[in-house]
Amino acid sequence: KAGVTQTPRYLIKTRGQQVTLSCSPISGHRSVSWYQQTPGQGLQFLFEYFSETQRNKGNFPGRFSGRQFSNSRSEMNVSTLELGDSALYLCASSLDPAGGQETQYFGPGTRLLVL
Amino acid sequence: AQSVTQLGSHVSVSEGALVLLRCNYSSSVPPYLFWYVQYPNQGLQLLLKYTSAATLVKGINDFEAEFKKSETSFHLTKPSAHMSDAAEYFCAVSAGNNDMRFGAGTRLTVKP
């Protein structure tokens, strides 16, 4: 099976712009979670989508948003970029956790640099 | 709410020596616990996970971890370190809702 894929892998933007990142989960996985990784704050949970619905949300401002499509692919959007948004954005997919199958499989990440 | 504390941001061992990476958790419900490894410029790879089936969990590459409820710990061990084990290791806890909370990470260095 193909793993989690994320596009693009690298991105450079300037302050005030917006950006959209894409994540394709492992085939059959219906849950997609997003994380932000920075040297200062470490790995922080952004949000999780399941069946096109946001099910969990971390403590991030409203500039960070996401969505999930019917094929489970997910996008996250960051509007009005700030320098502090520079980070590695990781996407993870998993099966429906109702049965305890909660292993999250991570993609390689998108590295965003905001200038 | 759940959280994880990893003791020691950097651990250095000699090749062939025991690896011990410490993790303590806090959770208001029975937790799921995970160890992930991250190599430079890569995503996270699951080493092992605890889901209450057994307290001693074996993972890939000879890593294992023991869940100790009385100590709220889930330390990661490997009997003999290899150079290829040099990476950053993350302990994580989840309450079963895919809202996974990670520790700050421990960077493992393996000396020849």
Side-chain angles (χ1 to χ4, degrees):
Chain A
K1 265 188 188 176
V4 177
T5 58
Q6 293 186 244
T7 57
R9 291 293 311 277
Y10 302 92
L11 207 49
I12 300 175
K13 292 286 187 179
T14 56
R15 278 183 302 174
Q17 287 187 310
Q18 75 165 17
V19 67
T20 299
L21 312 182
S22 180
C23 172
S24 292
I26 291 172
S27 177
H29 285 193
R30 297 166 64 192
S31 170
V32 174
S33 298
W34 288 89
Y35 296 84
Q36 181 196 65
Q37 185 177 25
T38 60
Q41 299 298 318
L43 276 156
Q44 293 184 284
F45 173 75
L46 278 157
F47 30 65
E48 184 233 357
Y49 286 86
F50 181 80
S51 291
E52 302 178 63
T53 301
Q54 186 181 89
R55 191 162 56 176
N56 292 297
K57 189 177 191 306
N59 189 27
F60 277 81
R63 299 186 298 106
F64 291 82
S65 63
R67 60 178 176 168
Q68 187 180 34
F69 302 95
S70 58
N71 61 358
S72 294
R73 190 176 71 85
S74 177
E75 290 181 346
M76 67 164 282
N77 182 275
V78 187
S79 62
T80 320
L81 283 166
E82 301 177 359
L83 295 180
D85 297 333
S86 296
L88 180 67
Y89 290 89
L90 292 165
C91 166
S93 75
S94 67
L95 293 166
D96 180 357
Q101 297 289 335
E102 205 182 318
T103 300
Q104 293 193 13
Y105 296 87
F106 284 78
T110 294
R111 187 165 296 280
L112 172 64
L113 177 62
V114 182
L115 301 175
Chain B
Q2 60 270 21
S3 65
V4 161
T5 302
Q6 290 185 241
L7 301 175
S9 59
H10 291 89
V11 169
S12 181
V13 300
S14 297
E15 192 173 19
L18 172 72
V19 176
L20 171 61
L21 305 182
R22 300 177 189 273
C23 172
N24 288 89
Y25 70 91
S26 172
S27 179
S28 56
V29 298
Y32 294 108
L33 293 161
F34 306 80
W35 275 100
Y36 283 89
V37 61
Q38 186 177 34
Y39 298 99
N41 298 315
Q42 295 186 28
L44 279 70
Q45 180 184 1
L46 179 72
L47 282 175
L48 48 83
K49 67 176 181 179
Y50 167 78
T51 57
S52 77
T55 56
L56 183 62
V57 182
K58 293 188 183 299
I60 62 172
N61 299 337
D62 294 329
F63 283 96
E64 63 181 38
E66 186 173 8
F67 172 72
K68 291 188 177 180
K69 185 177 179 181
S70 60
E71 299 177 8
T72 61
S73 69
F74 191 58
H75 302 330
L76 181 71
T77 61
K78 179 172 180 175
S80 177
H82 294 163
M83 297 297 292
S84 60
D85 293 328
E88 186 135 25
Y89 292 79
F90 294 92
C91 182
V93 62
S94 171
N97 58 0
N98 269 342
D99 177 358
M100 190 172 291
R101 303 300 169 110
F102 286 85
T106 297
R107 183 167 299 278
L108 176 66
T109 301
V110 182
K111 299 175 291 185

